[in-house]
Every structure is written in structure tokens, then in C-alpha cells.
Amino acid sequence: MRSILPKDWLRPMPSFPPDSFIVSDVVPSPNHDERKDGRPPDMILLHYTGMPTGEAALARLTTAASKVSAHYVVFEDGRIVQCVPETLRAWHAGVSSWAGDSDINSRSIGIEIVNPGHEFGYRDFPLRQIAAVISLCKSIVTRRGPISADRVLAHSDVAPSRKQDPGEKFPWELLSESGIGHWVRAAPLDLDGNTLKPGDRGEPVARLQRALHGYGYGIEETGSYDDATRDVVTAFQRHFRPARVDGIADPSTLLTLRALTETRPAPLA
Ligand SMILES: [Zn+2]
């Protein structure tokens, strides 16, 4: 006999013990599979939920039909909910790339940070929420072994043409002060020097593309300041020079990129 009810009806998702005791609740998501390459995750990817409420976001992340999930959701009051065990592959990155890898879901632990986002009234992240994100990242790094600081990234870093989250209000500086993520103080906005902008061509543009690619961004060296280049520069600014996010490589952007490249941590053995 065929049931008219959906297959998963009345069959609750099996729960699991949280990976850390700073987790307040486990709300299991069916949206996961095995990590593909068998290597443990070595990247933390930060998102904002981009929905009117955190509860709506949690419902979406734990509903099979949405096909999306994250390992963790951090609410504005600091509450941390785990939806997928860290050993499994959650579905948060989508089409993305970093440092030559395109299966970012297999490489990463995904953290959704509740914020309405650019579409529903982007606002400052409360400090108690950021403190929870920092504690969670520290817990992940402590338990899982070293995760290189330059592999704590924004969704916009790995999907610059599609994503803006967690956005320019996200306080990367505070994370960095707590030892999470690679970050440098941005160069001042109004410096003299050359500006590269959409439409430009030539060796300086190729050099910019090489530098961004060298840091990890999925960008090709075309020598032409095309839409993809503008999107990557925009993503770079959201993360590292948030005072002006316009996709134009002004002297402050170029200098900040150079400082970032020069202070990059040595690769982990
Ligand atoms: Zn995202």
C-alpha cells in the first residue's frame, strides 16, 4: 500500500550528541552526506542566515526540501544550535571555490550566524553573538587540531559572484583579536596611487588577479578587469577593507591586499 504521506513523515531525524558542550541544543538536519575526500575538515566557513528571523532560518536549515544545512546556527542572543555532526558534510557553501578546491562543503565546517542580511534589514551583530561565534571557532580548532588562520573565511570569499554573507558589518577584527582568522588593519581610504577599475586592462590588472588568486580566491588571470574581478575585489573588501565596498581596487585596497599576503601564516605541515 502506498502511503500518501511523505516518506519522512512521523519519522524524526535521529539526534546525535553535540560535538561541544557549548552547544545548547541539537536540531538534526537531514541535509547532509559523507565528506567526499575522506580528509578531516580544515576550513571554517561563516555565513549569515539572511532571513527575517533566526527561527525561520533554523526551520529551513532542518527541512529536507530546502536541501541546505549548516553544522551550527548561532542566534543573536548567543545560543548555539548544532544541526549536523562535524564529521559529516553539511550543505552550506553551494557552488564555490578556494585555493583550487571546489568541494568546499567537504573541506569545511559551516556556521550560520543569525542576521536578516542585506535583503531583510542588515544590522550589527550583537557582541554576545560574536562572543559565541568566537568560542565555537576556538572549540572547533582546539578539538580538531590546527586550522590555518587564513582558512576561516566568509561565504562571499568562496562564492564572490553569488554571495555577500556574512557581509561588511561582520567584525573580523574582533575574531582576529581572539586568535581566529587572518586579518590585517586595512590601509586608510584616501591614499595617493593608481586605481584599477572595471574596464581596465594590462599587466597591473593581471598582477592584481595573481595576488587575489595567490591568496585563495577563485579568479583567473585574464589581464582584464571583468565582472568576475569586480566581484572578487568586492568580496575582498567586505572581509578586509569594509569601510568602502565598491569593487574598485583603489590604493587602500591594493595596499591591504599586499599586507595580507605578506603576513599570511606559513602553511601547516
Ligand atoms: Zn552563506
Side-chain angles (χ1 to χ4, degrees), residues 45-49 92-93 111-112 155-156 163-166:
L45 198 64
L46 303 184
H47 304 258
Y48 66 45
T49 48
H92 51 97
I111 302 176
E112 286 279 358
H155 196 188
S156 52
K163 293 293 175 182
Q164 305 182 300
D165 60 310

Side-chain angles (χ1 to χ4, degrees), residues 32 51-52 76 102 159 185 225 227 234 246:
H32 64 262
M51 291 182 66
E76 287 177 305
S102 57
R185 187 166 302 283
Y225 206 118
D227 288 353
T234 302
D246 59 6

Side-chain angles (χ1 to χ4, degrees), residues 62-75:
T62 54
T63 301
S66 75
K67 304 267 190 244
V68 294
S69 63
H71 294 91
Y72 296 100
V73 179
V74 180
F75 284 79

Side-chain angles (χ1 to χ4, degrees), residues 1-240:
M1 190 182 76
R2 255 183 69 217
S3 166
I4 55 164
L5 294 171
K7 217 166 60 193
D8 290 336
W9 191 253
L10 294 180
R11 196 173 47 160
M13 280 295 301
S15 197
F16 58 88
D19 279 296
S20 159
F21 281 106
I22 62 172
V23 167
S24 7
D25 293 297
V26 171
V27 181
S29 172
N31 303 327
H32 64 262
D33 53 9
E34 297 290 325
R35 293 186 182 275
K36 300 284 188 265
D37 53 12
R39 285 186 292 156
D42 61 359
M43 179 187 283
I44 296 175
L45 198 64
L46 303 184
H47 304 258
Y48 66 45
T49 48
M51 291 182 66
T53 70
E55 292 305 330
L58 182 61
R60 175 170 148 79
L61 292 164
T62 54
T63 301
S66 75
K67 304 267 190 244
V68 294
S69 63
H71 294 91
Y72 296 100
V73 179
V74 180
F75 284 79
E76 287 177 305
D77 63 2
R79 188 163 59 100
I80 299 173
V81 172
Q82 186 166 7
C83 304
V84 176
E86 288 177 8
T87 49
L88 296 175
R89 179 177 179 270
W91 302 345
H92 51 97
V95 176
S96 49
S97 99
W98 188 259
D101 264 324
S102 57
D103 185 357
I104 300 302
N105 283 336
S106 279
R107 297 263 34 85
S108 64
I109 290 171
I111 302 176
E112 286 279 358
I113 302 161
V114 171
N115 188 297
H118 292 88
E119 200 176 336
F120 295 103
Y122 191 37
R123 57 186 184 226
D124 287 342
F125 296 84
L127 276 178
R128 57 186 295 161
Q129 183 183 34
I130 294 304
V133 171
I134 290 170
S135 301
L136 178 57
C137 290
K138 287 193 164 187
S139 158
I140 292 167
V141 171
T142 305
R143 286 181 290 102
R144 305 206 68 89
I147 288 179
S148 183
D150 56 356
R151 289 175 70 83
V152 180
L153 294 166
H155 196 188
S156 52
D157 289 320
V158 303
S161 295
R162 299 189 304 115
K163 293 293 175 182
Q164 305 182 300
D165 60 310
E168 61 281 0
K169 287 182 188 290
F170 189 75
W172 292 100
E173 180 176 7
L174 287 181
L175 270 69
S176 160
E177 283 169 2
S178 298
I180 298 297
H182 178 214
W183 188 86
V184 292
R185 187 166 302 283
L189 280 184
D190 296 311
L191 297 173
D192 290 333
N194 287 334
T195 291
L196 300 171
K197 56 187 186 312
D200 287 354
R201 298 176 153 276
E203 176 52 26
V205 175
R207 204 158 46 231
L208 167 65
Q209 291 167 331
R210 270 201 302 281
L212 289 164
H213 180 84
Y215 194 71
Y217 286 95
I219 182 173
E220 285 179 52
E221 186 185 328
T222 62
S224 156
Y225 206 118
D226 45 21
D227 288 353
T229 304
R230 182 203 57 211
D231 292 345
V232 169
V233 169
T234 302
F236 173 83
Q237 290 170 333
R238 277 191 210 289
H239 188 157
F240 298 107

